Amino acid sequence: MTQAGYKQFCPVAMAAEVLCTRWTMVLMRELVAGTTRFNDLRRGVPKMSPALLSTRLKELEIAGVVERIPLKSEKGVFEYHLTDAGKDLRPVVEAIGLWGQKWVESSLSLKNLDPSLLMWDMRRNLDPSPLPSIRTVVQFLYSDLPASKSHWWLVIEPGGEVDLCWSDPGFEVNLYVTTDLRTMTAIWMGLATIESERDKMELLGEKKIAKTMQVWLGLSPFAKQEKLAG
């Protein structure tokens, strides 16, 4: 580990030496969510430098939390999978997330807006079951962001696979969603609903897809937690 350590035999201190370095628990969130490729992990932690990500993955590997597995189908490409010790951290990560949802003030959470992380999380948690059994394309336009960050596309294939695009994929768009980043983030976190924020949103396109958006959006896994902080 890169930190000096607490030099205590207490299991909490020993675990903290592994898990409480900067970015480690956020990286664990991505690994617990099932992300295995380095570039996909980067998309889940967009403000973490590639060098630090490599360092943290190596530290977790040394600690026996993850294992690096070479792909036979792609030379020089590796995947990072949780070991049994890593899988045991799932309830720990979930408990921290639920605590944060419950006790951290909403205004503080919504100061840390990040369109790439929001869209990546939306892609990962989207529920395709209410959508038509054909390719469905939803374009998001964030009116408060510069042009380079304002347009995003979710492409949902009939089999349920969801792709996130930064540039126009060239498919016909089924639903256009125009809003501001704070509103969409609040909805995804479960701090608001599409119905409560309709005056801040414009939904244009197929009515059935728009009507079921609250369902297929696939909210944050922590959205179910009741908010007790302001």
Side-chain angles (χ1 to χ4, degrees), residues 132-136 156-161:
S133 56
I134 58 174
R135 176 185 291 132
T136 303
I156 305 98
E157 299 292 349
E161 181 181 350

Side-chain angles (χ1 to χ4, degrees), residues 4 36 58 62-63 66 83 93 106 108 115 120 129 138 161 207 219:
T36 59
K58 185 63 177 178
I62 293 172
V66 302
T83 62
V93 174
S106 301
L108 296 178
W120 183 246
S129 59
V138 182
E161 181 181 350
K207 292 182 179 180
L219 303 184

Side-chain angles (χ1 to χ4, degrees), residues 175-230:
L175 181 67
Y176 295 88
V177 180
T178 303
T179 186
D180 62 90
L181 183 58
R182 182 185 176 92
T183 295
M184 195 69 249
T185 303
I187 291 171
W188 189 81
M189 290 180 63
L191 305 175
T193 65
I194 292 173
E195 185 61 32
S196 70
E197 303 300 302
R198 281 308 297 267
D199 62 330
K200 300 177 183 178
M201 304 182 71
E202 183 180 29
L203 305 180
L204 294 177
E206 298 182 26
K207 292 182 179 180
K208 185 176 180 180
I209 297 175
K211 186 177 181 180
T212 58
M213 183 175 173
Q214 187 71 50
V215 180
W216 58 255
L217 190 59
L219 303 184
S220 162
F222 308 115
K224 62 185 178 181
Q225 173 61 58
E226 180 186 2
K227 194 76 173 176
L228 295 185

Side-chain angles (χ1 to χ4, degrees), residues 83-144:
T83 62
D84 288 342
K87 293 174 184 176
D88 267 358
L89 286 169
R90 175 181 293 275
V92 177
V93 174
E94 291 175 346
I96 290 174
L98 291 171
W99 184 90
Q101 179 80 355
K102 183 175 182 179
W103 292 111
V104 176
E105 293 183 14
S106 301
S107 59
L108 296 178
S109 298
L110 293 175
K111 284 182 179 179
N112 302 311
L113 301 177
D114 186 330
S116 58
L117 177 57
L118 172 64
M119 295 305 302
W120 183 246
D121 277 343
M122 285 169 58
R123 180 210 65 86
R124 180 165 53 199
N125 291 279
L126 188 143
D127 176 8
S129 59
L131 296 173
S133 56
I134 58 174
R135 176 185 291 132
T136 303
V137 180
V138 182
Q139 181 179 347
F140 288 81
L141 172 60
Y142 294 113
S143 55
D144 57 326

